[in-house]
Amino acid sequence: MASVQHVYRRGAMFWWRRCLPLFSFKKLDIRLSLRTADRQVARERGAALTAATREVVRMLEQRVRAADARPTEDELQAIARQAYAEKLAQFCDDQRAYPHHAVDHERANRTWADYYDRLVRNGGHAAMLDGEEQAWRMMGWDAQRVANLRVAIAHVEEGNPPISRRFVDHYLREFGYEPHDGLRRMVERALHPAYRDACLEAERRRRSAIEPASASPYAEPAQASATATAGNRSSADQGAYFSDFIEAAIAALVANERWDGKSGRQARSTIALFELLIGRKKLGAYHQDDLTAFMKKLRFVPKQYDMTRAESRESILNHVAAGETAAEKADGKPIVGERSNRTRNRHLSSLAAIVRWGITNKKGKPDITFDKQFAIVSKRKRARSERPATSKDDVATLFAMPTWTGSQPHRGGTGAAILRARVTPGDAIVHDAFYWVPLLLYYTGARREEICKLCPGDVKLEPIPHIFIDFTDFGRIKNDQSVRPVPLHRELVRLGFLQFVEECRKREYPVLFPELTPTNDVQKFGDIYYKNVWANLKRAAKLADDATNHGMRHRFSTDLKAKKVFSEFRRDVMGQGGLDINEERYSDTAAMEILKGIIEELPSVTDALQPGKAIVPPRVIRRPKPSMRRK
């Protein structure tokens, strides 16, 4: 048997054995019984198996490689089209089988279309994000639509996946891939837009009288219905001009707490810009091409512009025309000075909210859909890297300035002589926004506006000294999660913050820092602080460029994390929503004693400061400046 390789005798029978090297250093040991005791027969069978080894190795390598291969984009899109057709057929059959459940079908189609669209925008499932619900409301969503989406998110988080793994595995095997978690996630991301469009198309077919918002990329061309042009409508059916109802719409949205004053001003600017770039028409006369053209022109709108003067409006049009010409020559390359996707999305949100209000209140019904117009905003950095924490060195440098260690006497304010006195060493310690706001930002982790608008009544002594952050007559806060108590750090008490608050009460100050009172409807307390206080402190201390007020908040969280404080406790102190349904819905805010203990974990950076004799300057009266107000 020496002349035939890989054949050997085991007992009375002959066997054939090969150890086959596969790619990626993998080996496969194959042993086959030749089922004969005859030497000659074993020689022939062994030679036949050896001759076939090459094809066997090729077949095995193809099977093993299939486990590591990734579908191509064409294959993913083919899977998506197939899934779209199957889900659409399933949805439509359910609607035909149970027509008496029309209300449930409508709600399910809309809710799951919103959910799958959220998956597309987030790259997969994610818990509710800070400010996300507010963004939906700014887009014109009513309370019921928001509530339905929250229910869908909770339903998935309770263990009900939005896409069946069985379906995903079926699609993968159909295209020749062995399923594993990495491939499943790839396919699921490709299926999100397909499932969303299947929900929208099912609703369109259920309500055949309503024209589709837009044709799905997964639908056959014949499925897309022709959109009626505005020119076929009578003038009476086209409704009202934006100028006829814009103020009523803004007032209603502000009254319903969907918007604040800043959102209203943004909407006025957006509507004026839309009419300038597209033309002034009645609401019902606009159609999808108008919205598409507006989004393209927005790329080239100047960063700063004035809609109140004719020459400025003409300048905007010239600037946009020049940008469009440059874009044609650039052949798809970025143009210097283009507006970001985030800016364009902000304009689109404002426009969508006003248009939807107009439709709801019978001001006209344009052939426009906004759902697929929002641009994707990519993040080149981690969220924590976009606004880094203010460094410990900058914090130490800041609180070593004469403003805290002792300066020349002065009566407060921001005049040139006063600013020089603030940074010149001396014996005076003046208690005003320059002194207290940076300390409060560092020792509470609160947002700038939350501190700057504090009133004497917001500082409580029971059960332990704390500030209570809430909506007040002097300003709003970011969201409902921001309403919270924040215990005072021992250093704030030692340096005399409670005595400062009591002095403000005696003087009947409406706010702790009247020198930060806005003088028009555009500014906030925090804006005045940034301009008049922080900019001067930062320049005098020569802090790094990335030393910011919000960086103090990051410093707060980073230092507590270093002390191994749980993130849920940090979110309670900082006014942030929970990461999941358990934290957000089924957990109460930590007790005041626990929050106090968390605050005391924060390192003290002001041990060297002495309280001294505090000087509270006279109240600053900031006169309103009507010329600075704008709608």
Side-chain angles (χ1 to χ4, degrees):
M1 296 301 297
S3 60
V4 180
Q5 292 182 334
H6 316 303
V7 176
Y8 66 97
R9 185 193 293 274
R10 184 177 179 182
M13 305 298 291
F14 286 99
W15 285 68
W16 178 85
R17 179 184 181 185
R18 287 295 306 271
C19 189
L20 303 176
L22 302 179
F23 82 110
S24 301
F25 306 103
K26 297 180 180 179
K27 293 185 178 181
L28 184 63
D29 189 357
I30 303 178
R31 306 183 189 193
L32 297 175
S33 172
L34 297 178
R35 296 186 180 182
T36 181
D38 185 271
R39 187 180 299 271
Q40 184 60 35
V41 174
R43 184 194 303 272
E44 294 172 355
R45 292 179 180 176
L49 286 172
T50 301
T53 298
R54 186 183 299 274
E55 291 300 320
V56 173
V57 171
R58 183 181 296 111
M59 178 191 69
L60 291 173
E61 285 187 343
Q62 289 176 349
R63 295 293 296 175
V64 175
R65 279 194 176 98
D68 295 334
R70 297 165 65 89
T72 65
E73 182 61 23
D74 289 342
E75 289 174 330
L76 289 173
Q77 291 304 314
I79 292 174
R81 285 191 292 271
Q82 183 176 341
Y84 170 85
E86 292 179 4
K87 296 304 291 184
L88 178 60
Q90 175 188 339
F91 296 155
C92 291
D93 182 62
D94 288 344
Q95 292 170 177
R96 286 189 291 267
Y98 305 101
H100 47 287
H101 292 164
V103 175
D104 294 335
H105 291 316
E106 180 180 7
R107 182 168 59 247
N109 288 336
R110 181 70 265 180
T111 298
W112 287 107
D114 287 340
Y115 178 77
Y116 288 121
D117 186 67
R118 184 175 183 269
L119 294 183
V120 173
R121 298 181 186 282
N122 292 336
H125 181 81
M128 290 286 291
L129 306 175
D130 286 348
E132 191 172 12
E133 184 171 333
Q134 182 182 5
W136 295 338
R137 296 187 183 278
M138 290 180 64
M139 290 167 57
W141 290 23
D142 57 31
Q144 186 60 54
R145 185 175 178 182
V146 172
N148 289 342
L149 182 52
R150 292 181 70 93
V151 169
I153 294 173
H155 177 74
V156 172
E157 291 175 345
E158 289 170 358
N160 303 288
I163 298 178
S164 169
R165 173 171 290 192
R166 178 173 58 86
F167 288 163
V168 174
D169 290 353
H170 166 73
Y171 295 138
L172 282 169
R173 290 192 176 98
E174 191 174 74
F175 280 79
Y177 296 94
E178 187 62 27
H180 58 76
D181 287 345
L183 294 186
R184 290 187 182 105
R185 286 191 290 269
M186 282 186 67
V187 173
E188 286 174 357
R189 287 191 288 268
L191 293 182
H192 294 158
Y195 277 40
R196 173 199 63 195
D197 292 348
C199 293
L200 294 173
E201 180 65 13
E203 178 60 17
R204 186 194 70 81
R205 296 190 180 193
R206 191 190 67 81
R207 302 174 61 186
S208 58
I210 300 178
E211 293 294 334
S214 61
S216 165
Y218 305 99
E220 296 297 326
Q223 291 177 338
S225 301
T227 303
T229 62
N232 293 331
R233 301 179 179 180
S234 66
S235 178
D237 294 336
Q238 293 176 358
Y241 293 103
F242 278 117
S243 57
D244 295 335
F245 64 87
I246 178 67
E247 293 303 325
I250 292 174
L253 292 169
V254 172
N256 292 334
E257 296 186 355
R258 295 185 186 179
W259 279 2
D260 56 12
K262 182 178 179 181
S263 302
R265 292 190 295 272
Q266 173 70 49
R268 291 188 189 95
S269 175
T270 298
I271 294 301
L273 192 60
F274 182 77
E275 290 188 329
L276 176 67
L277 297 178
I278 303 303
R280 187 171 184 267
K281 298 187 285 188
K282 291 186 176 181
L283 179 60
Y286 291 109
H287 49 84
Q288 195 68 30
D289 291 343
D290 293 326
L291 181 60
T292 302
F294 177 62
M295 294 305 294
K296 290 181 179 178
K297 292 177 182 293
L298 268 180
R299 295 171 55 194
F300 312 111
V301 170
K303 187 173 183 180
Q304 294 181 338
Y305 56 88
D306 180 8
M307 296 294 295
T308 61
R309 296 182 295 125
E311 55 269 26
S312 297
R313 294 193 293 271
E314 186 66 26
S315 176
I316 293 172
L317 293 174
N318 293 336
H319 198 282
V320 170
E324 291 177 323
T325 301
E328 292 178 359
K329 297 179 180 179
D331 194 23
K333 297 179 181 179
I335 305 297
V336 176
E338 280 189 69
R339 297 282 68 78
S340 67
N341 284 348
R342 184 174 283 106
T343 298
R344 295 164 65 201
N345 285 349
R346 188 163 56 246
H347 282 290
L348 188 60
S349 296
S350 299
L351 179 62
I354 295 299
V355 168
R356 286 168 177 153
W357 188 92
I359 294 173
T360 302
N361 291 273
K362 297 180 171 49
K363 304 299 182 181
K365 188 173 183 181
D367 285 322
I368 289 178
T369 180
F370 293 91
D371 290 341
K372 298 181 184 178
Q373 292 292 329
F374 287 90
I376 296 174
V377 178
S378 62
K379 289 189 176 181
R380 298 185 184 90
K381 301 179 180 178
R382 297 179 70 182
R384 68 173 60 170
S385 301
E386 292 182 346
R387 288 182 174 181
T390 299
S391 69
K392 293 181 179 179
D393 290 342
D394 280 334
V395 173
T397 300
L398 178 67
F399 292 132
M401 291 180 63
T403 302
W404 289 273
T405 59
S407 67
Q408 292 296 316
H410 59 84
R411 294 176 56 82
T414 56
I418 299 297
L419 291 176
R420 283 196 300 272
R422 288 184 184 276
V423 297
T424 302
D427 298 328
I429 299 178
V430 178
H431 283 197
D432 59 2
F434 276 81
Y435 184 90
W436 283 117
V437 173
L439 287 171
L440 289 166
L441 289 173
Y442 176 80
Y443 281 119
T444 66
R447 300 176 180 91
R448 182 183 73 185
E449 188 66 23
E450 293 172 345
I451 295 299
C452 292
K453 73 177 188 65
L454 283 175
C455 309
D458 294 333
V459 182
K460 315 289 185 181
L461 299 179
E462 298 295 337
I464 57 178
H466 67 279
I467 60 175
F468 191 79
I469 297 173
D470 199 353
F471 296 87
T472 68
D473 293 338
F474 297 98
R476 62 188 303 278
I477 53 180
K478 185 173 182 180
N479 47 41
D480 291 340
Q481 294 95 318
S482 301
V483 178
R484 67 196 187 280
V486 181
L488 294 179
H489 192 277
R490 61 184 181 278
E491 279 295 284
L492 293 174
V493 177
R494 182 182 73 84
L495 293 174
F497 179 66
L498 294 179
Q499 288 79 4
F500 167 73
V501 173
E502 184 60 29
E503 181 64 25
C504 291
R505 283 198 182 98
K506 291 179 180 178
R507 299 186 184 188
E508 298 182 349
Y509 286 180
V511 291
L512 293 180
F513 310 110
E515 63 270 30
L516 303 181
T517 304
T519 59
N520 57 65
D521 296 334
V522 177
Q523 295 174 323
K524 297 180 180 179
F525 283 81
D527 298 330
I528 305 299
Y529 169 77
Y530 179 84
K531 178 182 178 181
N532 291 353
V533 179
W534 178 252
N536 288 310
L537 287 175
K538 185 175 181 178
R539 180 170 54 254
K542 299 180 180 179
L543 303 183
D545 291 341
D546 58 2
T548 63
N549 291 293
H550 203 78
M552 287 286 202
R553 184 168 162 86
H554 284 224
R555 177 83 271 147
F556 179 88
S557 182
T558 300
D559 287 346
L560 289 183
K561 182 179 179 180
K563 294 291 186 178
K564 299 182 180 180
V565 175
F566 289 129
S567 61
E568 185 174 357
F569 290 151
R570 281 183 276 145
R571 286 192 291 275
D572 284 347
V573 174
M574 299 176 70
Q576 297 171 331
L579 291 182
D580 53 38
I581 191 172
N582 180 55
E583 291 185 9
E584 186 63 25
R585 182 174 298 179
Y586 299 113
S587 298
D588 293 333
T589 302
M592 187 73 76
E593 293 76 11
I594 296 176
L595 297 180
K596 174 65 173 176
I598 293 169
I599 289 289
E600 294 300 338
E601 289 286 339
L602 194 70
S604 174
V605 295
T606 54
D607 290 337
L609 299 183
Q610 299 301 319
K613 182 179 179 181
I615 301 172
V616 180
R619 177 182 175 182
V620 175
I621 305 297
R622 290 175 55 82
R623 291 176 296 179
K625 299 179 181 179
S627 61
M628 295 293 294
R629 289 180 177 151
R630 66 172 187 256
K631 287 188 174 182

